[in-house]
Amino acid sequence: MGRGTRKRDEDSGTEVGEGTDEWTQSRAAVRPPDQLELTDAELKEEFTRILTANNPHAPQNIVRYSFKEGTYKLIGFVNQLAVHFSQVGNLIPKDSDEGRRQHYRDELAAGRTLGQPEAAAAETVTEELITPVQPKERMLTNKFNFSERASQTFNHRLRWEIYDAYVEELEKQEKTKEKEKTKTPVAKKTGKMAMRKLMSMESQSDDITKVSQAAKIVERMVNQNTYDDIAQDFKYYEDTADEFRDQEGTLLPLWKFQNDKAKHLAVTALCWNPKYRDLFAVGHGSYDFMKQSRGMLLLYSMKNPSFPEYIFSSDSGIMCLDMHVDHPYLVVVGHYDGNVAIYNLKKPHSQPTFRSSAKSGKHTEPVWQVKWQKDDMDQNLNFFSVSSDGRIVSWTIVKSELVHTDVIKLKVEGSTMEVSEGLQLHTMGCGTAFDFHKEIDYMFLVGTEEGKIYKCSKSYSSQFLDTYDAHNMAVDAVSWNPFHTKVFMSCSSDWTVKIWDHTIKTPMFIYDLNSAVGDVAWAPYSSTVFAAVTTDGKAHVFDLAINKYEAICNQPVVAKKKNKITHVQFNPIHPIIIVGDDRGHVTCLKLSPNLRKMPKEKKGQEVQKGPAVEIAKLDKLLNLVREVKTKT
Amino acid sequence: MAEVEETLKRLQTQKGVQGIILVNTEGIPIKSTMNNPTTTQHANLMHNFVLKARSTVHEIDPQNDLTFLQIHSKKNEIIVAPDKDYFLIAIQNPTK
């Protein structure tokens, strides 16, 4: 074979195809000087080699002399066996003579059987097994902390292990079924490969993410131990001094939530999660228009006061947020730069899932409030936003995109001017707060910077249903009463909190709190209880059923001169409130029993609970006030 | 993955936490913040205990499962959170 310098071992059995490839490749790189020159045609010639099981060293044509026939004959079959290695061993079968002899020799040595060596040779095989008599000396183990495996309780393979395995199998089957459904038959091959990759990927990532679950649990437990007294207070402490305090109540400080990353940002929004009652969201941003920086959205759980459950950061300060009632993992936020965004807690990436932009109709001024609405007729999620640019916009998520519709433009009444060519110029009012009616879907209230509150309808975009001259300064918050359908409340930086009946143009109750009021909130358990927070660091709790003129609790909650409280929210089921300040701290306070008073039971009468009772309670009070008004 | 590392770091810096051990299903410590003899001792002893506790819960009701285990002793508290393939042991000295 003229193949140049390459030697080939006959026994190696390499395939030709592989060899030629290698050869041609190396040929391109280096040519040894004494290599045989061949034409291309000769090079491309294919030489086939066939692998067989024949021993190449065995002679192929053995000839033997046959005495019978007197000639040399060719032996057809040649032995192809090639022995590579052989070694003589030293094992003998037990039953053979030598084996038995050795066996008896051992017995004699052990001294178990006596006087049998002669008869043993002819005896039957059935003998007792000889157990090793004395084990080698064991290493002494420390009896205080060493536990031998054999002495431990034996865990039988119990039915729950079978159950667990069965459940796993079920899950796997379901997964494969789903995957098959979504794949077309053509793509099944590639699908299987992808599936295999997915499985291996999952098992890799599971190694680390599985620990995350356990780590979370341990973190919560450690925190519970550290803050054990607070947790106990939260659950069980009831201030017994309330009996002696007449009608006043107190707020017991519980946990304080703060995070380094949100240190210099004020709390601009608070919201409890409608499904998980220990989870709440805190929006961080800045109210100072000179110092605008980034924003953060943190979600804390009361079970872990030291670190938030979810962290999202954004470029622009967050001014407001809301969580969807039916989909508690969707959080909508409004930014200082006028954008709105929706975060999905199920996918905690830093980026929001939907975001508005200049093209998609973002506001030109900070968004002060956002609120989720019921799904529209096509089952699309939608929410409303109000901003200082005077527009109230309804956003809908249609096929994974945010679509906006201007609902109302707030025009300052009496300010329409006629400019040339018959155009009308309106001065736009600046919306700062809004709230939707609990039962009448289309009705909502908007508070403005001018201090007016407009009652609007979603269907009428140009006219307001009603206007209330509420305050002298910007309205900071408006809120409908959760029980009584006619009553709402508003607060403002002009130091007042006012309670209204929406059919009457003047407020029913006015409270002056000696400092700009940041936020008001109705209590979810009573129609007559509400809380207000002021910039001097105080929290005021009112109960109209007990005292119509004064707060029943008036307590500084944060360090007076440094922090201003910006927001307050009641927890829907626990008797606690969260208060956010402008340093980025959120404090959780427990309401003492006096603040949660329910109507006293009269003898023989059952205590009625429920919204009807609450409404009646408030109605009584309102009637009193109305009577007074009609008299004067 | 980095989140888990962060969580473990935070755990370590929590008040009173003496150490954290991550043990696999066979009782072999994978990660630990304490010295070797203590780690192996805790891992070995807790392993059997957790298995026993788990089997107890399962025996009573197969659909039930152990969520966590807390052994509160005079001097400290051992917290174990079991999982399918691992369990995480934390030893805390709750200050009061």
Side-chain angles (χ1 to χ4, degrees):
Chain A
M1 286 263 205
R3 275 287 160 188
T5 52
R6 277 196 79 232
K7 275 192 188 167
R8 198 174 289 143
D9 189 10
E10 300 269 53
D11 283 354
S12 65
T14 47
E15 278 191 311
V16 180
E18 222 185 300
T20 43
D21 276 353
E22 268 185 14
W23 200 89
T24 48
Q25 276 172 15
S26 63
R27 188 168 166 268
V30 171
R31 284 200 78 188
D34 55 348
Q35 193 176 70
L36 201 65
E37 297 278 335
L38 290 165
T39 61
D40 271 322
E42 278 185 313
L43 284 170
K44 283 184 186 155
E45 263 187 275
E46 275 197 6
F47 292 84
T48 44
R49 284 215 145 197
I50 304 166
L51 262 184
T52 56
N54 298 333
N55 183 355
H57 290 302
Q60 280 159 338
N61 40 5
I62 295 182
V63 177
R64 289 264 143 83
Y65 185 77
S66 157
F67 284 94
K68 188 179 173 188
E69 289 166 41
T71 56
Y72 284 95
K73 282 195 101 173
L74 189 71
I75 294 177
F77 175 73
V78 179
N79 192 2
Q80 301 288 328
L81 184 72
V83 177
H84 294 280
F85 172 77
S86 75
Q87 187 193 28
V88 180
N90 54 8
L91 295 173
I92 40 176
K94 268 201 263 185
D95 295 345
S96 71
D97 286 343
E98 179 60 37
R100 276 189 225 147
R101 258 180 259 140
Q102 284 192 6
H103 195 60
Y104 294 130
R105 236 180 281 145
D106 287 337
E107 279 181 48
L108 281 175
R112 276 193 84 214
T113 53
L114 299 163
Q116 278 199 10
E118 305 97 47
E123 282 282 24
T124 52
V125 189
T126 51
E127 289 277 336
E128 285 176 73
L129 276 171
I130 302 171
T131 55
V133 178
Q134 192 64 277
K136 291 182 238 167
E137 259 195 43
R138 279 220 185 121
M139 282 186 49
L140 284 175
T141 53
N142 185 351
K143 61 181 170 183
F144 292 106
N145 60 12
F146 179 74
S147 56
E148 205 188 315
R149 205 181 171 82
S151 67
Q152 290 168 7
T153 48
F154 182 56
N155 288 330
H156 296 273
R157 184 135 296 241
L158 298 162
R159 27 178 196 145
W160 56 265
E161 283 196 22
I162 302 168
Y163 179 79
D164 279 348
Y166 175 66
V167 167
E168 262 186 61
E169 261 305 303
L170 253 182
E171 278 174 24
K172 273 188 200 164
Q173 275 181 20
E174 272 170 36
K175 268 189 191 170
T176 50
K177 268 188 203 165
E178 275 179 33
K179 281 182 185 168
E180 278 177 19
K181 272 185 201 167
T182 54
K183 286 208 170 81
T184 59
V186 179
K188 245 191 180 170
K189 263 194 190 172
T190 51
K192 276 186 191 162
M193 282 299 290
M195 237 169 51
R196 250 178 260 150
K197 278 186 192 166
L198 255 176
M199 296 280 272
S200 62
M201 276 288 285
E202 271 176 18
S203 59
Q204 272 176 21
S205 57
D206 274 357
D207 288 348
I208 301 143
T209 49
K210 270 195 174 153
V211 187
S212 80
Q213 188 63 10
K216 222 179 188 178
I217 295 177
V218 175
E219 198 184 356
R220 284 188 177 182
M221 285 161 66
V222 167
N223 270 305
Q224 196 180 23
N225 285 333
T226 323
Y227 299 107
D228 184 45
D229 42 358
I230 298 179
Q232 298 287 334
D233 278 345
F234 159 69
K235 263 276 172 175
Y236 305 117
Y237 181 74
E238 301 287 359
D239 196 353
T240 44
D242 266 10
E243 292 169 31
F244 311 111
R245 237 181 254 143
D246 221 7
Q247 289 166 342
E248 288 173 4
T250 51
L251 295 167
L252 178 73
L254 295 173
W255 301 285
K256 206 170 193 191
F257 299 90
Q258 58 199 16
N259 190 290
D260 281 339
K261 289 184 193 166
K263 223 179 187 177
H264 299 290
L265 298 170
V267 170
T268 52
L270 289 172
C271 184
W272 286 100
N273 187 302
K275 187 174 177 197
Y276 298 105
R277 306 307 184 133
D278 61 296
L279 186 69
F280 63 92
V282 184
H284 289 274
S286 175
Y287 282 121
D288 192 348
F289 74 100
M290 298 287 277
K291 297 185 212 162
Q292 277 301 315
S293 62
R294 60 206 169 80
M296 294 205 76
L297 174 66
L298 302 171
L299 280 105
Y300 285 97
S301 163
M302 297 193 313
K303 296 176 188 169
N304 184 352
S306 60
F307 200 75
E309 303 288 312
Y310 300 95
I311 305 180
F312 300 97
S313 63
S314 65
D315 299 322
S316 167
I318 291 179
M319 303 309 291
C320 53
L321 65 91
D322 193 29
M323 290 201 201
H324 201 287
V325 173
D326 297 322
H327 307 278
Y329 50 88
L330 290 175
V331 181
V332 61
V333 297
H335 289 286
Y336 197 87
D337 62 0
N339 272 320
V340 292
I342 298 178
Y343 288 90
N344 188 336
L345 296 178
K346 280 189 182 174
K347 303 170 195 168
H349 307 302
S350 204
Q351 290 307 309
T353 35
F354 298 104
R355 206 158 193 274
S356 69
S357 62
K359 278 190 288 176
S360 64
K362 74 173 185 82
H363 290 279
T364 50
E365 294 270 334
V367 179
W368 291 103
Q369 201 144 8
V370 283
K371 271 238 157 73
W372 281 108
Q373 297 300 304
K374 290 197 196 130
D375 289 354
D376 67 4
M377 288 179 285
D378 301 322
Q379 306 296 325
N380 290 325
L381 301 163
N382 81 324
F383 64 92
F384 274 60
S385 66
V386 66
S387 156
S388 298
D389 66 356
R391 285 162 56 214
I392 296 178
V393 179
S394 156
W395 303 82
T396 321
I397 301 176
V398 178
K399 292 182 191 171
S400 77
E401 258 188 30
L402 264 181
V403 175
H404 84 286
T405 345
D406 276 12
V407 173
I408 275 193
K409 287 206 170 124
L410 301 170
K411 283 170 257 164
V412 176
E413 282 182 19
S415 68
T416 56
M417 297 184 307
E418 283 259 350
V419 191
S420 55
E421 295 174 348
L423 286 171
Q424 284 188 323
L425 188 66
H426 313 284
T427 325
M428 298 290 267
C430 307
T432 51
F434 68 176
D435 193 17
F436 288 82
H437 198 275
K438 306 275 184 287
E439 283 167 29
I440 306 173
D441 223 16
Y442 54 82
M443 188 158 81
F444 62 97
L445 298 162
V446 185
T448 60
E449 263 185 38
E450 298 83 44
K452 292 208 168 95
I453 297 180
Y454 300 113
K455 186 166 69 173
C456 316
S457 161
K458 285 188 201 174
S459 18
Y460 294 106
S461 63
S462 51
Q463 259 194 341
F464 306 126
L465 295 174
D466 216 344
T467 317
Y468 307 91
D469 283 323
H471 293 275
N472 300 324
M473 288 182 71
V475 177
D476 281 331
V478 282
S479 176
W480 287 101
N481 188 304
F483 297 100
H484 202 293
T485 50
K486 283 188 174 180
V487 176
F488 70 90
M489 173 166 66
S490 68
C491 78
S492 156
S493 318
D494 70 352
W495 296 10
T496 58
V497 173
K498 297 188 183 176
I499 299 182
W500 310 74
D501 178 329
H502 76 95
T503 50
I504 302 176
K505 288 266 188 173
T506 51
M508 314 256 69
F509 298 98
I510 305 177
Y511 299 98
D512 191 329
L513 298 177
N514 285 329
S515 176
V517 185
D519 197 8
V520 275
W522 289 103
Y525 50 83
S526 167
S527 63
T528 52
V529 177
F530 64 92
V533 285
T534 58
T535 48
D536 63 355
K538 279 195 184 171
H540 307 257
V541 180
F542 292 80
D543 188 345
L544 299 171
I546 295 177
N547 189 336
K548 286 205 291 280
Y549 307 106
E550 278 182 342
I552 50 172
C553 173
N554 194 332
Q555 186 174 326
V557 173
V558 290
K560 210 178 187 180
K561 288 188 183 160
K562 296 182 200 167
N563 294 356
K564 304 177 200 166
I565 310 184
T566 50
H567 281 276
V568 68
Q569 279 284 320
F570 278 86
N571 183 308
I573 47 172
H574 301 293
I576 52 178
I577 56 172
I578 40 171
V579 167
D581 65 14
D582 71 341
R583 283 300 184 87
H585 306 149
V586 177
T587 318
C588 183
L589 302 146
K590 186 165 185 184
L591 301 160
S592 70
N594 267 350
L595 303 173
R596 300 180 257 139
K597 264 202 180 146
M598 292 292 159
K600 277 190 188 162
E601 6 178 323
K602 295 185 186 160
K603 284 186 191 173
Q605 267 189 352
E606 289 174 13
V607 175
Q608 289 166 323
K609 286 200 175 160
V613 182
E614 303 289 337
I615 296 175
K617 218 177 19 164
L618 195 54
D619 253 337
K620 247 196 313 183
L621 289 166
L622 291 174
N623 284 333
L624 285 172
V625 184
R626 271 185 228 135
E627 276 176 19
V628 170
K629 282 197 184 275
T630 50
K631 276 184 195 168
T632 54
Chain B
M1 171 179 142
E3 283 176 34
V4 180
E5 297 284 337
E6 244 192 74
T7 316
L8 293 177
K9 253 190 245 171
R10 261 184 284 129
L11 262 177
Q12 181 60 13
T13 51
Q14 279 276 342
K15 236 204 300 179
V17 172
Q18 289 169 349
I20 301 175
I21 310 171
L22 183 63
V23 185
N24 77 351
T25 35
E26 290 156 26
I28 302 166
I30 299 172
K31 218 183 188 192
S32 170
T33 59
M34 297 191 292
N35 56 11
N36 214 354
T38 330
T39 303
T40 32
Q41 194 180 33
H42 278 278
N44 273 329
L45 296 167
M46 289 312 296
H47 178 244
N48 291 321
F49 192 76
V50 173
L51 285 180
K52 188 76 184 157
R54 216 190 216 169
S55 72
T56 312
V57 171
H58 271 302
E59 262 297 282
I60 297 170
D61 179 9
Q63 292 179 340
N64 204 353
D65 197 4
L66 183 68
T67 35
F68 62 80
L69 202 56
Q70 223 171 348
I71 304 175
H72 198 105
S73 69
K74 267 194 230 168
K75 292 193 188 166
N76 53 17
E77 183 158 339
I78 303 174
I79 300 162
V80 183
D83 202 69
K84 252 205 308 181
D85 302 332
Y86 300 91
F87 39 93
L88 188 58
I89 306 173
I91 302 159
Q92 187 188 18
N93 197 343
T95 49
K96 261 230 165 166

